[in-house]
Amino acid sequence: GAVVSQHPSRVICKSGTSVKIECRSLDFQATTMFWYRQFPKQSLMLMATSNEGSKATYEQGVEKDKFLINHASLTLSTLTVTSAHPEDSSFYICSAKGTSGGKAHEQFFGPGTRLTVL
Amino acid sequence: QKEVEQDPGPLSVPEGAIVSLNCTYSNSAFQYFMWYRQYSRKGPELLMYTYSSGNKEDGRFTAQVDKSSKYISLFIRDSQPSDSATYLCAMSAEGAQKLVFGQGTRLTINP
């Protein structure tokens, strides 16, 4: 099946610093990538949808200036958490779709990145 | 009210038992109904999906959708310790790119 990787798998940073998380589709071209966050014992909440070469679409309540998303190629999307604070500590998961249309469930998830902000 | 409601558990059953996991939803536009399995500190993996109402079976897993009641279920037969994970239901509307997830139910199968 399709493989999506994330790097790093875990990151600990100081409050006020910026953190970049990479999401890569390893064996397919991802026209659309999604970024989710998941708090402990909580569901996945969609943060934004990004299409290759265009600006990301953010969900209501997600600060686009704080969570910068770049989808510069068909195999790579990055999420940068700017000026991170302890409340940004969470599990961040990306997913990727290989077709611009298709069904919502035709997306493959990465293994997630655990961010801890001290 | 959340669009998708799922009891977070935890649910603990002995090996070999039949497990029943459920979700309810409020958005009548949902047409695709999915079940994902998520192991600790991992991303979700798709177990099954169903379009509209009906049943779908895949090995030990059976998914049921009752659109009239806005209620979906996942049954696991002959449960194994390796089935221990968090199970998330997810739904989407026709033509939608977004998935709406339930809270997830943490399941433990005891040997």
Side-chain angles (χ1 to χ4, degrees):
Chain A
V3 180
V4 176
S5 70
Q6 280 184 244
H7 179 79
S9 58
R10 176 177 292 186
V11 58
I12 301 172
C13 69
K14 293 182 178 180
S15 184
T17 60
S18 294
V19 175
K20 180 183 285 187
I21 302 170
E22 292 185 348
C23 177
R24 292 182 185 273
S25 55
L26 298 185
D27 51 3
F28 67 102
Q29 294 186 325
T31 53
T32 306
M33 286 186 167
F34 304 86
W35 285 95
Y36 297 83
R37 67 188 294 182
Q38 185 178 33
F39 291 107
K41 300 181 181 180
Q42 298 285 326
S43 182
L44 277 76
M45 297 299 295
L46 181 65
M47 298 174 67
T49 303
S50 72
N51 293 295
E52 185 266 337
S54 61
K55 289 184 178 180
T57 302
Y58 290 81
E59 294 299 300
Q60 191 173 9
V62 177
E63 298 175 60
K64 61 182 180 182
D65 293 332
K66 181 169 186 61
F67 299 98
L68 302 178
I69 293 172
N70 184 282
H71 191 166
S73 78
L74 285 172
T75 60
L76 174 64
S77 176
T78 60
L79 168 68
T80 301
V81 183
T82 62
S83 187
H85 292 284
E87 59 265 29
D88 298 322
S89 298
S90 187
F91 193 51
Y92 291 86
I93 304 175
C94 72
S95 69
K97 287 177 87 266
T99 55
S100 58
K103 311 295 189 294
H105 63 271
E106 295 172 344
Q107 56 185 280
F108 301 93
F109 287 85
T113 296
R114 180 155 310 277
L115 170 64
T116 303
V117 184
L118 302 177
Chain B
Q1 182 188 9
K2 293 180 182 178
E3 278 191 291
V4 180
E5 298 274 4
Q6 183 176 9
D7 186 341
L11 180 62
S12 182
V13 301
E15 184 176 355
I18 296 175
V19 176
S20 172
L21 304 168
N22 312 291
C23 290
T24 59
Y25 63 97
S26 58
N27 189 345
S28 58
F30 288 145
Q31 293 281 7
Y32 292 89
F33 304 91
M34 283 65 71
W35 286 96
Y36 288 83
R37 179 174 60 197
Q38 185 179 22
Y39 292 112
S40 181
R41 299 189 180 90
K42 300 292 184 183
E45 57 176 323
L46 180 64
L47 274 179
M48 300 182 71
Y49 80 91
T50 308
Y51 177 71
S52 193
S53 285
N55 295 356
K56 190 171 186 178
E57 187 174 324
D58 184 2
R60 297 184 294 111
F61 298 88
T62 299
Q64 289 185 350
V65 175
D66 181 350
K67 291 189 69 181
S68 62
S69 302
K70 295 189 176 66
Y71 187 88
I72 71 170
S73 301
L74 177 70
F75 298 96
I76 307 174
R77 293 184 300 279
D78 188 25
S79 56
Q80 305 294 312
S82 59
D83 295 328
S84 299
T86 295
Y87 290 80
L88 300 122
C89 62
M91 306 176 189
S92 65
E94 188 77 59
Q97 294 294 296
K98 293 164 48 172
L99 292 171
V100 180
F101 283 88
Q103 189 174 351
T105 300
R106 180 174 291 185
L107 173 66
T108 300
I109 309 296
N110 300 304

